[in-house]
Amino acid sequence: MKNSGGITFHLVLFILFLAGIIAIADEARSLYTMTKNNQDEKEEVVAEGKIISSDLFGNMEYYAVLEAGAESKVTHMTEDKALTDITQEEFNQLDTGDTIEIEKIDSSGNNTYRSEMHKSILLMVVYAIGPAYYISYLILRSRIKGWKWLSRPIIFLIPIAFFGFLAFALIFGYISMGKMLSNAIQSYTGTQFTTEAIVTDSNDDFNGGRYPSQYYYLAFTYNDPDGNTIHMTKEVRPSVYNNSGDTVTISFPVDNPYRIHTKGFSASDILFYGTKLVLHVIVIALTALLLYACITFGNFKTWMHRIRKQKQSREQSRRDKKVHRLKKKSKQKYDRLHRKKAK
């Protein structure tokens, strides 16, 4: 009867697992269709200009200006519909007055789309509860004799998933550091051109979340060596932000006027860069720990040999305990029989 109840419970969980997987797949397909339909709606607009946004380490985003005057403001402080993001190739070819095709701008439609998207994501999280519970159930059932075959594939996949995620995080971190280094090389090499940029807007933004951080932005305009006017929003160091007035001194390579940098460095900038580079420090620390683990455990064969020895040691320990219990029971039985005979 007890065994029958366990099988029924397992069957119910398995049905919930399948239902959850099917529901997640269906919701994901609906979300993909909704996203695709939203992106497929296009309209033609006239570009009033263009502007670049550059973060502290030179990663750039390119925008077409749809409302006159928006190029003079910090990009994230502009009104809705004032800018639209474009590719670098589109940016290089864009001139004021050109007609470009962008995704249709409809605030009510976008709000509905965002609402439905959040609803779909929430539903997928809810649908995932059943499969997650079933997987946990299988892992726990592995302690019961006869159910180990159900949990072995899951337990085998857990370290693969963990190390896969760790490898992905490290690769992403090193790609980010590679881009940062590449941007720095491009900015500081070659014949440098120095000029005064006219500051048109500024903004300091404090992110007071779990990991608080400060951002400083300057919007300015300047001319390249050929006399072309460039509008840019640039994230800068605290010392540059605090010392800027109506103008700020910038430098850039003659053949790459978008790779600007500013001179000067203060003590306050050290802590500022520390908060910005914390993720890169974590990546380096994780790499050092992995290298230490590799050196400590040696090659793969040695590592597997140690695991097998530890497993054999545990099994031998269990056998010894079992033998000890049997001997103890036998001795107690013998003592009881001996006492009875003595009486």
Side-chain angles (χ1 to χ4, degrees):
M1 197 68 185
K2 184 178 178 181
N3 190 32
S4 176
I7 293 174
T8 303
F9 182 66
H10 174 75
L11 184 61
V12 170
L13 286 181
F14 182 70
I15 292 172
L16 289 175
F17 172 80
L18 289 179
I21 294 297
I22 293 171
I24 291 172
D26 183 66
E27 199 64 41
R29 184 171 61 252
S30 299
L31 180 61
Y32 172 78
T33 302
M34 181 173 58
T35 303
K36 190 173 184 300
N37 291 338
N38 185 74
Q39 291 178 344
D40 285 342
E41 297 183 18
K42 302 286 185 178
E43 67 174 346
E44 290 188 346
V45 294
V46 176
E48 300 291 340
K50 57 185 181 180
I51 185 173
I52 295 177
S53 178
S54 175
D55 69 7
L56 188 66
F57 301 111
N59 298 310
M60 297 185 184
E61 296 178 348
Y62 304 88
Y63 298 94
V65 179
L66 306 182
E67 291 185 3
E71 68 273 12
S72 299
K73 298 180 180 179
V74 174
T75 51
H76 65 268
M77 299 297 293
T78 57
E79 300 291 334
D80 291 340
K81 308 178 184 179
L83 303 175
T84 184
D85 57 310
I86 55 177
T87 65
Q88 182 179 0
E89 183 180 356
E90 291 171 335
F91 180 88
N92 293 333
Q93 297 174 355
L94 184 66
D95 292 319
T96 301
D98 287 352
T99 300
I100 59 174
E101 191 178 66
I102 63 171
E103 294 177 12
K104 188 174 181 180
I105 299 174
D106 184 344
S107 58
S108 60
N110 284 339
N111 289 336
T112 302
Y113 165 69
R114 284 193 292 268
S115 176
E116 291 297 323
M117 180 182 68
H118 295 157
K119 180 181 176 182
S120 293
I121 294 173
L122 179 61
L123 285 174
M124 283 192 286
V125 172
V126 173
Y127 294 150
I129 293 175
Y133 184 82
Y134 179 67
I135 292 172
S136 301
Y137 171 77
L138 292 181
I139 294 174
L140 292 174
R141 284 289 284 192
S142 68
R143 299 178 182 176
I144 302 174
K145 188 176 180 181
W147 289 79
K148 287 187 177 182
W149 66 273
L150 288 170
S151 62
R152 280 174 184 169
I154 299 169
I155 295 173
F156 179 73
L157 288 173
I158 287 174
I160 293 178
F162 172 76
F163 285 108
F165 174 78
L166 183 61
F168 175 80
L170 291 177
I171 291 171
F172 179 81
Y174 278 109
I175 289 175
S176 176
M177 285 190 283
K179 288 182 178 179
M180 182 177 66
L181 182 61
S182 175
N183 293 338
I185 291 173
Q186 292 180 48
S187 297
Y188 288 94
T189 56
T191 304
Q192 297 289 309
F193 183 85
T194 302
T195 186
E196 292 291 320
I198 300 173
V199 178
T200 56
D201 194 16
S202 62
N203 173 253
D204 62 316
D205 183 19
F206 177 75
N207 181 7
R210 185 175 181 181
Y211 302 102
S213 57
Q214 193 85 21
Y215 299 88
Y216 301 91
Y217 299 96
L218 291 178
F220 47 78
T221 179
Y222 62 97
N223 294 330
D224 65 12
D226 296 328
N228 300 312
T229 301
I230 298 173
H231 298 278
M232 177 177 286
T233 291
K234 171 70 175 171
E235 183 184 359
V236 296
R237 304 185 301 276
S239 60
V240 175
Y241 183 86
N242 294 327
N243 294 329
S244 65
D246 295 332
T247 62
V248 60
T249 303
I250 61 172
S251 299
F252 52 84
V254 173
D255 58 348
N256 196 347
Y258 303 131
R259 291 293 179 190
I260 73 158
H261 57 91
T262 55
K263 296 181 179 180
F265 200 85
S266 67
S268 63
D269 296 335
I270 298 175
L271 181 61
F272 177 72
Y273 273 107
T275 61
K276 297 294 182 179
L277 296 172
V278 62
L279 292 178
H280 299 90
V281 173
I282 291 174
V283 168
I284 295 172
L286 285 174
T287 304
L289 287 174
L290 286 175
L291 290 174
Y292 174 78
C294 290
I295 295 171
T296 302
F297 288 108
N299 58 43
F300 181 74
K301 289 183 179 179
T302 304
W303 185 56
M304 292 301 295
H305 178 67
R306 289 180 181 178
I307 291 177
R308 283 194 294 269
K309 285 190 68 175
Q310 290 175 358
K311 185 178 179 181
Q312 291 171 358
S313 177
R314 288 194 297 268
E315 291 175 350
Q316 184 62 43
S317 178
R318 284 194 293 267
R319 286 194 295 268
D320 292 342
K321 288 179 181 178
K322 187 176 180 180
V323 170
H324 178 72
R325 285 195 300 268
L326 290 173
K327 286 182 177 180
K328 188 176 180 181
K329 287 181 180 179
S330 298
K331 187 177 184 304
Q332 290 174 349
K333 187 176 180 181
Y334 173 79
D335 290 341
R336 284 196 299 268
L337 290 172
H338 185 69
R339 283 195 296 269
K340 286 180 180 179
K341 289 179 179 179
K343 290 179 180 179

